Amino acid sequence: MSYYVTTPIYYSNGEPHLGHAYSTMAADILARHMRQRGEDVFMLTGTDEHGEPIALAAEAEGVSPQELVDRNAPKFEDLVERVDSTHDFFIRTTDKGHVERVQELVTRVRDNGYVYQGTYEGWYCPRCADFKNESEIGPGDTCPIHEIPLLREKEENWFFRLSAFQEKLEKLYEDEPGRIMPDFRRNEALSFIRGGLRDVSLSRSQLSWGVPLPWDPDQVMYVWFDALSNYYTALGYAREGEDLSERYWPASWHILAKDILKFHAVYWPAFLMAAGLEPPQRMFIHGYLLMGEKKMSKSLGNVLDPFEVIEKFGADALRFYCFREVSFGQDGSISTEGFEKRYESELANDFGNLASRSLAMVDRYRDGLVPETDADPLLLADFDGINERVSALLDEAQIGQALEEIWVLVRRLNRYVEESQPWVLAKDEGDAARLDQVLNGLTEGLRVLSLLLHPYLPNSTATLLAALGEPELSLREFASRSGGQKVERIEPLFPKL
């Protein structure tokens, strides 16, 4: 089965921050997990490089828009590499392959009768690159997202017949509620749709930085239709000489933040339908990472720098913290204090110490060989069905909930060590069989949990799996290996602060 997961493409008018890393890490966790299950996975990320915000930022710096995006795009590539993303392609909307394919796509929409000429007049946010309707305007005609005054725009351009898809979109989300998760975000999308869809500008006549319309090169494509199309256009050129569209489209999951819900849940599926294509199967809308009471944002100056965190603690710690601290789908507050607390108590103590002491005891008491013995019935019951429970949650993109399911068993193994006290059993030859069973149970439990945790903690679990003698990454059942393998001591996976 094919599985296609995307991040938003990140707007390259500024520096990357943790909000960008958050979406990427979420998509990567899903992609890694599905590969473990043997699925045919494709993951896409990249940068959005056209539109007015880019042009304005470039003008302010006295450089060309192309120079600006050529300077900034590598920073986003560096970020996704640093968080250990396993994406299959990094798209830039200035790519020749994207420009050609998005022009083909918009031509199909026009040929199908969904484009006409008209005049737009109304409020516009240059930061959002969004034409605002009355329900989206803040006090004093401001943008509620960026807290800046809106501009009154009037221009002749080409329009997309969004209104033609009102009933189709309502029916789509009413009949298939799982298409937008969490459900309260689906309700937001439906509320917007039921409020009445108006036709929207497909092009900009007063802007030169963008993809020229094939039939009217004096106008450029409205940046949102250009950007959203990346999810489809990338499949046409991501692999040289191969078109992956039939193999992977429609996308399994779009992962995105709540501020771009309208564009993804309303504009994008309508545009695809107008082109004769299927809409994405599902999208998961996550909340904001908050520092204090505000959304983390470079423009607001309240940013936890992911590069600094990774430099000091490693990418695994950042990946873990973001999905342990904040319920995926909700807004959540993060802080350096909270990060250090999670790192110390859960990564260093709960998991890292469990791994180190378990392997050390096998080395000390059994010369590094896992005893061959029947599994402890106590642990069999605890681990029964864990792979299925975690897989079911990740099928719904419930990333934090799946991590909690795994962490319940991390804590269980820690209690098991304290309850069974292998250091006491080792003192009495009469307890040798019981010690064998305990050491077997600990290493087997660590193996199963390390495989389940691999999408979250790819580096540390790779170290642990190598020490446990497990060469594969596919999920394993508890007690599916009876013992006999050689294991090795390891240095602390998460050194204490």
Side-chain angles (χ1 to χ4, degrees):
M1 188 178 94
S2 66
Y3 185 89
Y4 178 29
V5 59
T6 72
T7 75
I9 51 172
Y10 305 120
Y11 212 57
S12 50
N13 61 333
E15 302 284 326
H17 59 69
L18 188 53
H20 303 119
Y22 189 48
S23 300
T24 305
M25 294 185 294
D28 184 62
I29 288 166
L30 297 177
R32 285 176 181 270
H33 171 77
M34 295 307 288
R35 291 191 197 102
Q36 288 183 301
R37 288 163 58 177
E39 305 295 354
D40 175 18
V41 174
F42 194 90
M43 177 185 164
L44 179 70
T45 191
T47 45
D48 177 4
E49 302 186 3
H50 288 131
E52 190 167 22
I54 297 285
L56 291 173
E59 184 181 355
E61 292 193 30
V63 298
S64 72
Q66 189 67 59
E67 286 177 290
L68 180 69
V69 297
D70 284 347
R71 186 185 72 203
N72 285 342
K75 298 176 184 177
F76 287 87
E77 288 195 69
D78 185 34
L79 174 67
V80 298
E81 295 288 347
R82 294 279 293 278
V83 299
D84 290 323
S85 168
T86 54
H87 54 282
D88 296 276
F89 190 60
F90 188 99
I91 188 171
R92 296 181 57 183
T93 55
T94 52
D95 289 346
K96 183 172 180 282
H98 170 75
V99 171
E100 291 174 349
R101 283 162 181 80
V102 80
Q103 287 180 322
E104 291 171 6
L105 195 61
V106 74
T107 299
R108 284 163 65 178
V109 172
R110 184 187 183 224
D111 290 347
N112 288 342
Y114 294 105
V115 176
Y116 65 93
Q117 275 187 299
T119 301
Y120 173 79
E121 183 172 7
W123 294 107
Y124 176 79
C125 174
R127 290 259 188 94
C128 296
D130 185 18
F131 300 97
K132 302 289 187 181
N133 63 34
E134 293 303 317
S135 65
E136 299 174 291
I137 298 172
D141 298 326
T142 59
C143 171
I145 296 172
H146 292 101
E147 301 176 357
I148 61 171
L150 296 173
L151 305 178
R152 193 72 183 174
E153 296 280 3
K154 182 177 181 179
E155 60 183 58
E156 301 287 330
N157 51 31
W158 292 88
F159 277 74
F160 171 58
R161 295 187 190 277
L162 181 63
S163 59
F165 296 92
Q166 169 113 18
E167 291 183 10
K168 288 183 179 179
L169 289 172
E170 279 191 51
K171 182 172 173 53
L172 183 71
Y173 297 135
E174 287 169 350
D175 292 353
E176 301 178 56
R179 278 187 178 268
I180 300 179
M181 298 284 287
D183 193 58
F184 68 91
R185 297 296 181 200
R186 177 183 72 100
N187 292 335
E188 287 180 19
L190 273 171
S191 175
F192 184 87
I193 295 164
R194 288 167 180 158
L197 295 183
R198 301 179 304 161
D199 296 345
V200 294
S201 293
L202 182 68
S203 68
R204 300 295 310 277
S205 60
Q206 300 174 15
L207 189 66
S208 60
W209 181 242
V211 176
L213 286 180
W215 64 88
D216 186 355
D218 290 335
Q219 300 213 21
V220 298
M221 197 168 171
Y222 176 39
V223 67
W224 275 106
F225 289 112
D226 166 16
L228 290 162
S229 298
N230 91 93
Y231 303 128
Y232 183 75
T233 63
L235 297 175
Y237 73 103
R239 291 184 188 158
E240 190 172 353
E242 190 176 359
D243 190 334
L244 303 174
S245 304
E246 285 192 24
R247 181 169 166 185
Y248 292 112
W249 193 262
S252 307
W253 281 106
H254 289 330
I255 305 297
L256 56 131
K258 65 181 184 179
D259 56 339
I260 50 178
L261 168 62
K262 175 181 75 173
F263 305 103
H264 284 77
V266 182
Y267 290 15
W268 178 223
F271 194 67
L272 285 165
M273 291 176 188
L277 296 168
E278 287 186 64
Q281 293 176 3
R282 309 186 77 182
M283 56 187 74
F284 195 98
I285 321 299
H286 64 73
Y288 293 149
L289 298 178
L290 306 174
M291 294 285 283
E293 298 299 318
K294 294 275 189 181
K295 171 194 173 185
M296 193 163 52
S297 163
K298 270 286 183 188
S299 61
L300 297 176
N302 58 334
V303 176
L304 185 65
D305 190 332
F307 294 104
E308 290 181 9
V309 174
I310 292 168
E311 187 69 33
K312 186 172 182 181
F313 299 98
D316 280 10
L318 181 66
R319 291 167 69 105
F320 177 84
Y321 174 68
C322 286
F323 298 98
R324 192 77 176 120
E325 186 77 4
V326 178
S327 177
F328 194 54
Q330 306 286 336
D331 290 348
S333 293
I334 60 170
S335 65
T336 53
E337 296 81 9
F339 175 87
E340 291 178 0
K341 184 177 178 181
R342 290 275 186 193
Y343 179 92
E344 189 83 26
S345 65
E346 296 191 325
L347 288 178
N349 290 340
D350 286 356
F351 187 58
N353 189 46
L354 171 69
S356 297
R357 71 196 300 206
S358 298
L359 291 171
M361 287 188 290
V362 176
D363 180 62
R364 180 178 179 184
Y365 302 136
R366 293 297 181 262
D367 296 322
L369 286 176
V370 178
E372 295 187 65
T373 180
D374 292 335
D376 191 335
L378 291 173
L379 291 180
L380 271 174
D382 290 317
F383 277 82
D384 184 42
I386 183 59
N387 290 342
E388 292 76 13
R389 293 196 300 278
V390 169
S391 294
L393 287 166
L394 291 177
D395 282 343
E396 299 296 311
Q398 301 294 326
I399 296 174
Q401 292 88 329
L403 182 55
E404 171 59 20
E405 282 284 336
I406 302 167
W407 219 254
V408 167
L409 289 180
V410 171
R411 294 196 194 101
R412 174 66 187 106
L413 277 188
N414 276 293
R415 290 198 309 275
Y416 182 72
V417 173
E418 299 306 318
E419 291 163 3
S420 55
Q421 297 187 314
W423 53 89
V424 174
L425 297 174
K427 294 176 180 177
D428 190 338
E429 270 302 312
D431 291 326
R434 176 58 183 156
L435 178 59
D436 284 348
Q437 193 174 51
V438 169
L439 296 177
N440 177 285
L442 284 173
T443 52
E444 188 64 356
L446 275 174
R447 183 176 73 110
V448 171
L449 292 180
S450 296
L451 290 167
L452 287 166
L453 284 169
H454 185 70
Y456 299 87
L457 307 171
N459 292 300
S460 50
T461 54
T463 299
L464 184 50
L465 288 166
L468 288 164
E470 175 54 71
E472 302 294 330
L473 288 178
S474 53
L475 301 179
R476 295 285 189 262
E477 297 292 334
F478 185 80
S480 59
R481 189 168 68 170
S482 59
Q485 69 276 11
K486 179 76 173 172
V487 299
E488 299 175 354
R489 286 177 180 254
I490 57 172
E491 294 296 315
L493 294 172
F494 300 97
K496 298 216 172 177
L497 302 179

